[in-house]
Amino acid sequence: MKHRTLSIRFELNGIQVEAQVPARMTLADCLRHQFKLTGTHVGCEHGVCGTCTVIVDGAAVRSCLMLAVQVEGAKVTTVEGLSPEDGLTPLQAAFRKHHALQCGFCTPGMLTTAHALLTDEPDADKARIREVLSGNLCRCTGYIPIVEAIYEARTAYATRDKLPGKGA
Amino acid sequence: MKLPGFEYACPATLAEALALLASGGGTAKPIAGGQSLLPTMAYRLAAPALLVDLRKVPDLNRIAIGDDGVRLGATVRWRDIEDDARLSEAHPLLVAAIAHVAHYQIRNRGTVGGSLAHADPAAEMPGIAVSCDAELTLAGPAGARVVPASKFFLGPLSTALADDELVVEVRLPPWPAKRRWGFQEFARRRNDFALAGIAVFYDLDHAGCATNAHVGVFGACNRAQRLAQAEAALEGRIIDAAVAQSAGRAAAAAVDPPEDLHASAAYRRALVATLVERALKQASTEATQDKNE
Amino acid sequence: MDTKDRLVGAPVERIEDLRLLRGRGQFVDDLHREGMLHAAILRSSIAHGRIRLIDVKAALAMPGVRGVFTAADIAQSSTGSVPKIPLRLSPLPELVAFEQPVMAEKKVRYVGEPLALVVADSLALAEDALDVIEVDIEPLPAVANRHASGKDDILLFEEHGTNHAITYTARKGDAASVKAPYVRREKFSVQRHSAVCLEPRGLLAVWDGQQTKLTVSGAAKVPFVTRRALARHMDLPDECVDMVEVDVGGGFGVRGEFYPEDYLIPFAARKLNRPVKWTEDRRENLLASNHSREADCEIEIACDTDGTILALRGRVYVDAGAYVRTSGSTPARNVAQFLSGPYRIPNIHVESDLLLTNKMPIGTYRGPGRFEADFFRERLFDMAAKDLGIDPVEFRRRNLVSKEEMPYEIATLTPLEKKERFDSGDYRITLDRCLAEIGWREKAGLQGQLIDGRYHGLGIGCFIEGGAAGPRENARIEVDPDGAILVYVGSSNLGQGLETVCVQIAADALQMPMDRIRFFHGSTTYMKEGFGSFHSRSVVMGGSAILAAANALKESVQKAAASRLGCAATDVVIGQGLSASFGRKSLTLEELAADGGLSAEGSFENHLHTYSYGAAAAHVAVDARTGQVEVLEYVTVEDVGRIINPLTANGQSIGAVVQGLGGTLLEHLVYDEDGQFLTASLADYLMPTAPDFPNIKAITLENSPSPNNPLGAKGLGEGGIVPVGGVVCNAVAAALCSLNVTPRELPLSPMKIWQLIEDAR
């Protein structure tokens, strides 16, 4: 019943995967160091900065505040899973157009958060966008271009289906 | 800041979860959302030997609305409260308060039970529970017991919960449709921890005077509490600016705020007075009857 | 430039975005190496004490631990003593005395000072081992602030007999003998805060015993300087040490300086003959990455009755922390020399003392010393203007240096005998533009008004920002045999868009499309010698070096083509894509480069700083009951001489303003009277978030190109931050003038404002 390491199975960016993880390992560290998906960043490890944000069962969450073992059976999407083979998604292109990134460290967390938000609320206004982004720190841009980019990207989400796994 | 080592269990029933907690002899902790527990462990301020994950325990995540009020299961998330359209009528004060909890990502994981058990003196859920005379149902090896919120919170991060018990539900008493209420919180930035927070409500008698006045404070004290002196200043009165001011002064005199890095006791006291006035102003305008913003 | 600029000046979308948006950035913690170990540092929890014992036996026995090192181990490996971190800027002997050893030896002098290094199979196991290291330190009373420091009764360095590292003096004219009809003397202070980059620091060191080669990834800002210092300490020739720059999550002056870890991690890698990675966690980042800004002053302005400034006098006290690190004296230098800002002040005498305390050492943070200076000065100006009954805008206009006075020499700094001259500029234009953009005249009626429960106020300030000098910079351009263009430069990327801007410059100079050019920056493997990014210099110095290299490459093309085209080199005409022609004969670049490729180097040297300048204004609303300040609108106008990329230029300005607002209203690194550090999490150190400052406008102008470099550009990146403290505090003071409140200290926290209002009742 009690374990120090466990075997977990979950869906990662659309693919069924399996891993042996120490119970003490966070989802962030599991994604970065076991699956080598280093797009998800670690900036504080206490749930404030948002650079570790990923999408679990349709909801944006702080992967530094989840144990890897807690995603057993879940669907996890990282920034890599939001990126097409070639080119950029409309959300990513909007970020580039508006210069919504400088060093790029907060960017994956901004993208996953924005994607979750716009999927649920494609008509979110700037106040709502700012409110939701209050959980993501950026030290370079001053946020204004990020809000502009997400606002512009709304049109690409207006006709989409909801993310799988979302509750009512 | 890697987590210290621990054993992990993920029981499928409440009974198993309780047995696991008991087996730890005080070194086991339950984990639901983990939004408060994991940062504490990252700073190595807590190092439980065993974490008991509640995510597979059934029937803990219901929101039930009935004649006895609103029942929130322990693993109900802030997100679930936001998404439940019934609550804006069934308990608008709860909805207003929860809107101030943390941030988007945390709201997708953080739970009612976790917040109550953690008992941060600046947290909204304990504040609402106490202000509204809520009752908590705790499950333990000897069965379930009901504890009023006013007796549950003992001090900062300290509750009446035994090491082998779990919060399973909190019940907020029924909320009459015509009730007047206000909720005001002061934080440095949006959704930061409250330096002071006030929940206020009252009903109106046939003469338009306040009755059943409740004034609850969190953030400016070591544990959420109702302020009897402030309530007495409202009881039986028509709530106007002068009455609001005197209630604010009474509240400020009654609290015993902590001094810390973020605020002095004197400043917190002043905030309490201001927020009581503003919450009463909010309560007395028609706008509070609309769906909460 | 003799080519038509298509790209320079255009809002080109950034090249680096393509990988950063896809999560394909390579930050140092993203790197993995076969057999890699992980390091964790035991840091002192006592601010001041004598080390009696550090017992690592239990730690060595912990699972997965490969090594535990203390100062004794380091001294033994080195030349018998623990290496010290060398000063990079202003290495004066007075300051060298206070250099920091890479690990605490006999004394510990600040909470967070390294005591031991653990290397283990995983970071979690290394941290577990930290918990069991036994430390016995005999505590000494802590020198908690600069007041205690100045008394010299408790000494950090008993052998030096003082805590006072150095005094800088900024002098012009004869301030002491000025007699003026109006004099006002005031005290002001700025709190300790700093860059707090979103990516914490990190290093990955790899030692190759066979090749005697040390490779360190995670370098930034000044990799060549760090290499030299590290090579010396490791007793290796420079060529045996490679500093590799990968993606970097912000620098702001703080990342890239030489820290204890920059020695400790390579030391461990060589000792254990395994790659060693170290990543700073956020608690360490707040505690142990250079602090900055903490200064207070007593200054005096002397004016004529018409507001003409006659003299500026006074003393500034800078809280240095426990040691003088690489850039540790720069804030003290700058606050004295630049206290006068863009204003004509004929007599100046300002001294600034660098005082040691038992806190984290300081270094340069965006606009070092200048943010503090602008706050002190602009507050004092508003007070003087009010006393004299002169409109605060008029007061500034009257005293701004005019364009006819350029180049204008400001105070000279001693020691160092550092002279400074403003290069070019019309400061009134930016002031007027700023006033127009914020609607200063239209909003005049709002000053001090109580509207909907809040007091409104507007504030203004003017600034200069020096940049773009220091040592030279180098670039090299290579043409591959298959025609690919590779541009190498010694400048460092910190997230500021260096890659894109440099490729724009190169593409225009070579008449090439941007996508034919690959860009390499920073790492010591690319250049024999480079000088890095600091002082807002990377585009000016690196960009100008690239221009020089481009011109040299064109000459190489002409020479290579001359013999094949049968003419003199000077007769060869260079066309699009570096084609070479003479009469009707022509050669493509690929043909010319086919055997062995082509290459050229360029360098740009300049010891004259450029001075961007401007004005900023803010409109605030203050809730007098809670003390909360809302910034309703903030406008910054800056003339940068030449804009290479308007997108990235605007991004720098907005980002700098928001950092400045954080420093003015929210951020505070706090110590108690025992030197204990109290703000070790992001829940305590508060930085701006998206809803806080949504209404900021940045306008960048190109009115006054700099005569000091071929691009005509002035340094850009710090101008946005330097005036923020003064401007916002002036606005708050204006808002609360009816309450008799005079704010003199940052941060303008709600509690502080509430207290000022209470005290004034």
Side-chain angles (χ1 to χ4, degrees):
Chain A
M1 194 95 223
K2 305 180 190 178
H3 305 279
R4 287 199 176 265
T5 61
L6 287 97
S7 179
I8 54 172
R9 275 195 195 77
F10 62 102
E11 186 186 291
L12 177 55
N13 294 330
I15 302 172
Q16 282 297 323
V17 298
E18 203 172 310
Q20 283 280 112
V21 294
R24 75 195 284 196
M25 179 178 260
T26 61
L27 177 59
D29 284 342
C30 174
L31 293 169
R32 288 175 52 72
H33 301 299
Q34 289 199 316
F35 290 98
K36 306 284 195 271
L37 292 173
T38 56
T40 302
H41 296 146
V42 167
C44 76
E45 293 180 296
H46 55 280
V48 177
C49 76
T51 62
C52 69
T53 306
V54 298
I55 300 172
V56 176
D57 289 338
V61 300
R62 298 189 179 316
S63 64
C64 75
L65 293 190
M66 270 189 91
L67 302 172
V69 295
Q70 290 181 304
V71 295
E72 165 73 37
K75 287 183 167 47
V76 177
T77 307
T78 67
V79 65
E80 291 91 344
L82 293 180
S83 304
E85 272 298 320
D86 287 306
L88 301 174
T89 61
L91 178 64
Q92 289 168 324
F95 266 59
R96 189 172 187 225
K97 174 177 165 190
H98 289 275
H99 190 39
L101 61 154
Q102 291 183 26
C103 79
F105 198 75
C106 75
T107 307
M110 292 288 182
L111 289 169
T112 49
T113 303
H115 181 74
L117 169 66
L118 292 183
T119 302
D120 269 358
E121 304 173 41
D123 49 3
D125 62 11
K126 286 191 188 174
R128 174 63 178 155
I129 292 169
R130 272 186 228 115
E131 181 190 347
V132 167
L133 288 186
S134 66
N136 293 72
L137 295 178
C138 172
R139 205 53 171 150
C140 296
T141 67
Y143 303 102
I144 289 171
I146 299 176
V147 174
E148 296 291 321
I150 295 172
Y151 190 77
E152 179 175 310
R154 299 182 320 159
T155 47
Y157 286 79
T159 50
R160 281 211 204 162
D161 295 329
K162 289 202 182 292
L163 279 168
K166 264 310 226 290
Chain B
M1 283 156 43
K2 300 305 168 194
L3 301 174
F6 54 85
E7 286 187 304
Y8 171 86
C10 195
T13 68
L14 182 60
E16 275 175 47
L18 291 171
L20 281 160
L21 282 177
S23 79
T27 65
K29 272 201 98 62
I31 181 169
Q35 307 296 279
S36 301
L37 179 61
L38 291 179
T40 317
M41 290 173 65
Y43 273 89
R44 302 207 174 199
L45 296 172
L50 169 66
L51 286 190
V52 180
D53 196 335
L54 301 179
R55 67 191 165 92
K56 286 195 188 144
V57 177
D59 302 328
L60 289 183
N61 64 349
R62 291 204 218 288
I63 300 177
I65 298 172
D67 293 333
D68 64 350
V70 174
R71 290 178 179 271
L72 304 170
T75 61
V76 165
R77 302 166 307 158
W78 312 122
R79 183 59 188 264
D80 301 325
I81 293 174
E82 260 178 26
D83 286 348
D84 193 329
R86 306 171 295 168
L87 287 172
S88 58
E89 252 186 66
H91 212 298
L93 175 57
L94 172 69
V95 175
I98 297 320
H100 288 266
V101 172
H103 299 286
Y104 188 66
Q105 298 93 339
I106 292 194
R107 300 158 68 76
N108 284 329
R109 297 278 304 158
T111 64
V112 167
S115 173
L116 292 169
H118 185 63
D120 190 311
E124 289 81 1
M125 191 67 226
I128 291 302
V130 168
S131 302
C132 297
D133 305 319
E135 284 180 344
L136 282 74
T137 303
L138 313 179
R145 62 184 179 117
V146 174
V147 178
S150 56
K151 299 253 173 355
F152 182 75
F153 301 101
L154 305 177
L157 308 182
S158 171
T159 68
L161 197 62
D163 287 333
D164 55 3
E165 283 183 310
L166 277 173
V167 175
V168 291
E169 183 185 85
V170 63
R171 182 183 71 81
L172 302 169
W175 186 270
K178 291 205 164 54
R179 174 163 286 172
R180 296 296 177 97
W181 62 272
F183 181 86
Q184 294 282 321
E185 183 182 303
F186 183 78
R188 292 292 297 274
R189 299 168 305 180
R190 189 178 197 120
N191 287 20
D192 276 346
F193 275 110
L195 296 185
I198 294 287
V200 90
F201 67 80
Y202 55 87
D203 301 313
L204 292 170
D205 67 17
H206 44 269
C209 300
T211 175
N212 191 28
H214 281 58
V215 177
V217 63
F218 62 98
C221 43
N222 285 327
R223 58 185 179 87
Q225 56 205 245
R226 279 174 60 183
L227 297 170
Q229 301 90 324
E231 293 168 350
L234 300 176
E235 200 64 36
R237 312 286 245 289
I238 298 204
I239 310 299
D240 59 17
V243 168
Q245 256 182 50
S246 89
R249 276 196 296 269
V255 286
D256 183 20
E259 291 258 348
D260 63 26
L261 178 64
H262 294 290
S264 64
Y267 179 59
R268 282 193 158 99
R269 237 185 261 284
L271 285 176
V272 165
T274 298
L275 295 177
V276 165
E277 278 184 53
R278 291 181 179 177
L280 288 168
K281 180 158 188 219
Q282 182 189 356
S284 66
T285 61
E286 287 310 306
T288 61
Q289 305 312 312
D290 296 347
K291 188 171 154 72
N292 180 58
E293 216 287 288
Chain C
M1 299 219 294
D2 55 333
T3 54
K4 187 161 189 298
D5 288 339
R6 296 169 300 114
L7 295 161
V8 169
V12 175
E13 290 184 0
R14 296 192 335 166
I15 304 167
E16 45 270 72
D17 288 0
L18 294 168
R19 67 170 190 284
L20 295 171
L21 284 165
R22 303 166 69 86
R24 297 229 188 104
Q26 282 266 280
F27 297 87
V28 69
D29 192 55
D30 301 341
L31 304 175
H32 289 96
R33 294 283 182 273
E34 184 84 40
M36 187 171 77
L37 298 173
H38 300 262
I41 294 172
L42 180 70
R43 296 181 182 278
S44 174
S45 57
I46 291 178
H48 194 197
R50 292 191 215 288
I51 300 173
R52 285 201 279 239
L53 173 73
I54 300 182
D55 187 343
V56 306
K57 280 196 292 293
L60 276 165
M62 292 284 280
V65 170
R66 304 292 176 160
V68 182
F69 306 105
T70 61
D73 300 306
I74 291 166
Q76 205 171 53
S77 285
S78 179
T79 50
S81 62
V82 175
K84 295 219 166 75
I85 299 174
L87 283 152
R88 179 173 71 80
L89 299 173
S90 318
L92 301 163
E94 304 91 304
L95 299 174
V96 171
F98 297 102
E99 283 176 341
Q100 178 174 1
V102 295
M103 189 171 278
E105 259 190 299
K106 299 197 194 66
K107 275 189 90 172
V108 69
R109 295 185 175 91
Y110 65 95
V111 166
E113 186 165 6
L115 293 174
L117 175 72
V118 172
V119 183
D121 291 343
S122 76
L123 185 46
L125 292 174
E127 289 188 30
D128 290 345
L130 289 182
D131 285 346
V132 302
I133 297 178
E134 277 179 51
V135 171
D136 183 12
I137 296 179
E138 174 204 327
L140 295 168
V143 177
N145 54 53
R146 72 94 175 152
H147 298 275
S149 176
K151 294 200 185 108
D152 273 346
D153 44 7
I154 300 163
L155 296 173
L156 274 79
F157 290 81
E158 289 89 348
E159 65 271 33
H160 297 320
T162 182
N163 296 320
H164 178 180
I166 196 169
T167 297
Y168 287 105
T169 306
R171 236 186 242 105
K172 185 178 181 184
D174 184 3
S177 61
V178 168
K179 304 255 180 293
Y182 170 80
V183 166
R184 178 141 179 185
R185 167 177 277 236
E186 281 289 341
K187 292 183 181 178
F188 302 104
S189 72
V190 175
Q191 84 286 14
R192 190 170 264 252
H193 60 285
S194 194
V196 190
C197 307
L198 210 47
E199 183 205 7
R201 291 180 297 137
L203 295 165
L204 172 56
V206 180
W207 171 249
D208 180 342
Q210 303 257 4
Q211 312 269 345
T212 316
K213 178 76 139 203
L214 176 65
T215 306
V216 181
S217 301
K221 188 182 185 187
V222 284
F224 287 82
V225 172
T226 305
R227 173 175 73 169
R228 170 146 307 158
L230 179 60
R232 288 228 171 92
H233 284 322
M234 308 249 335
D235 204 26
L236 292 166
D238 284 9
E239 307 78 70
C240 289
V241 177
D242 282 338
M243 306 294 296
V244 176
E245 193 171 280
V246 294
D247 283 319
V248 152
F252 313 116
V254 159
R255 186 193 313 271
E257 295 289 348
F258 201 105
Y259 285 88
E261 299 85 4
D262 289 284
Y263 175 83
L264 296 173
I265 306 309
F267 165 84
R270 184 164 69 172
K271 204 83 169 126
L272 296 171
N273 208 13
R274 295 277 293 272
V276 175
K277 182 198 269 189
W278 169 74
T279 319
E280 188 182 46
D281 62 40
R282 184 55 66 183
R283 171 177 39 194
E284 287 179 292
N285 172 263
L286 288 165
L287 174 60
S289 279
N290 284 343
H291 288 184
S292 205
R293 297 279 198 258
E294 186 171 9
D296 69 283
C297 72
E298 184 163 356
I299 55 175
E300 185 177 88
I301 191 172
C303 298
D304 231 324
T305 48
D306 68 352
T308 304
I309 303 171
L310 301 173
L312 190 60
R313 304 182 272 246
R315 191 157 214 114
V316 183
Y317 305 90
V318 176
D319 187 317
Y323 297 98
V324 181
R325 284 233 269 245
T326 53
S327 58
S329 75
T330 302
R333 243 178 46 189
N334 286 352
V335 72
Q337 191 166 34
F338 297 102
L339 189 61
S340 53
Y343 301 97
R344 180 191 314 109
I345 303 183
N347 299 288
I348 298 173
H349 189 106
V350 177
E351 292 181 307
S352 101
D353 296 330
L354 190 64
L355 295 158
L356 263 47
T357 58
N358 289 117
K359 299 181 198 170
M360 175 61 200
I362 64 171
T364 49
Y365 164 44
R366 207 172 194 175
R370 300 171 198 258
F371 176 91
E372 301 89 294
D374 280 17
F375 172 67
F376 300 158
R377 173 192 71 251
E378 295 291 335
R379 280 300 291 133
L380 188 57
F381 277 18
D382 260 20
M383 293 173 179
K386 189 163 178 199
D387 286 345
L388 292 168
I390 299 172
D391 172 78
V393 172
E394 209 29 58
F395 182 91
R396 287 168 171 84
R397 201 192 296 283
R398 228 165 262 186
N399 288 291
L400 278 174
V401 172
S402 69
K403 81 170 196 279
E404 291 75 33
E405 294 171 88
M406 297 294 175
Y408 179 82
E409 192 165 310
I410 59 171
T412 298
L413 191 76
T414 53
L416 297 176
E417 284 311 313
K418 197 158 149 312
K419 288 184 182 289
E420 285 294 334
R421 295 171 4 166
F422 297 156
D423 51 352
S424 65
D426 192 334
Y427 299 168
R428 278 155 216 218
I429 292 185
T430 45
L431 173 60
D432 287 338
R433 180 69 185 270
C434 184
L435 296 167
E437 292 287 341
I438 199 159
W440 184 270
R441 207 175 332 203
E442 296 81 345
K443 296 192 171 101
L446 293 174
Q447 291 281 35
Q449 292 302 305
L450 179 61
I451 302 165
D452 284 336
R454 296 194 301 177
Y455 290 92
H456 286 244
L458 283 90
I460 186 96
C462 300
F463 64 91
I464 43 93
E465 175 50 23
R472 64 184 168 283
E473 195 50 86
N474 300 323
R476 183 174 77 256
I477 305 181
E478 289 175 359
V479 184
D480 262 1
D482 52 359
I485 313 280
L486 291 79
V487 174
Y488 299 85
V489 77
S491 305
S492 284
N493 176 46
L494 299 155
Q496 78 276 43
L498 183 76
E499 180 176 349
T500 303
V501 168
C502 284
V503 172
Q504 283 174 260
I505 292 170
D508 270 356
L510 299 172
Q511 296 175 83
M512 294 274 178
M514 283 177 71
D515 57 20
R516 262 188 79 179
I517 298 173
R518 286 165 54 201
F519 180 71
F520 303 88
H521 58 83
S523 302
T524 60
T525 45
Y526 297 143
M527 306 288 298
K528 273 207 297 290
E529 177 194 66
F531 293 90
S533 295
F534 52 95
H535 202 34
S536 299
R537 59 177 257 133
S538 62
V539 166
V540 171
M541 301 303 286
S544 297
I546 289 170
L547 277 183
N551 288 333
L553 184 67
K554 285 191 255 188
E555 282 177 21
S556 297
V557 168
Q558 284 178 311
K559 277 206 197 77
S563 51
R564 289 165 71 165
L565 294 173
C567 62
T570 46
D571 292 332
V572 176
V573 176
I574 303 288
Q576 285 284 343
L578 286 187
S579 60
S581 59
F582 176 68
R584 266 182 289 190
K585 287 187 282 188
S586 74
L587 293 163
T588 64
L589 184 63
E590 287 81 351
E591 288 171 309
L592 282 167
D595 32 76
L598 290 166
S599 132
E601 291 183 1
S603 186
F604 181 69
E605 177 144 15
N606 173 41
H607 291 289
L608 296 171
H609 293 154
T610 62
Y611 281 91
S612 68
Y613 61 91
H619 175 188
V620 305
V622 184
D623 179 337
R625 296 198 63 175
T626 63
Q628 183 77 284
V629 174
E630 185 182 347
V631 178
L632 296 175
E633 194 181 354
Y634 188 101
V635 173
T636 191
V637 178
E638 189 175 1
D639 187 334
V640 300
R642 178 91 179 277
I643 301 170
I644 312 296
N645 186 324
L647 261 189
T648 59
N650 186 263
Q652 286 295 304
S653 293
I654 304 266
V657 167
V658 173
Q659 261 189 330
L661 291 168
T664 303
L665 295 162
L666 290 167
E667 299 175 37
H668 195 170
L669 295 161
V670 182
Y671 287 84
D672 69 13
E673 308 80 60
D674 298 316
Q676 287 300 315
F677 184 63
L678 302 181
T679 47
S681 85
L682 295 179
D684 292 318
Y685 187 83
L686 305 177
M687 297 201 283
T689 62
D692 293 320
F693 309 114
N695 194 0
I696 301 172
K697 197 184 329 184
I699 290 152
T700 325
L701 302 175
E702 296 182 289
N703 287 336
S704 304
S706 175
N708 294 344
N709 62 78
L711 289 165
K714 301 185 186 233
L716 161 68
E718 294 171 88
I721 201 172
V722 295
V724 180
V727 165
V728 171
C729 197
N730 279 343
V732 170
L736 299 177
C737 59
S738 64
L739 300 179
N740 246 334
V741 164
T742 310
R744 294 176 172 87
E745 294 175 4
L746 296 183
L748 297 172
S749 66
M751 183 169 81
K752 181 171 289 166
I753 291 184
W754 173 81
Q755 194 67 61
L756 284 171
I757 295 172
E758 285 296 296
D759 293 343
R761 275 197 210 287

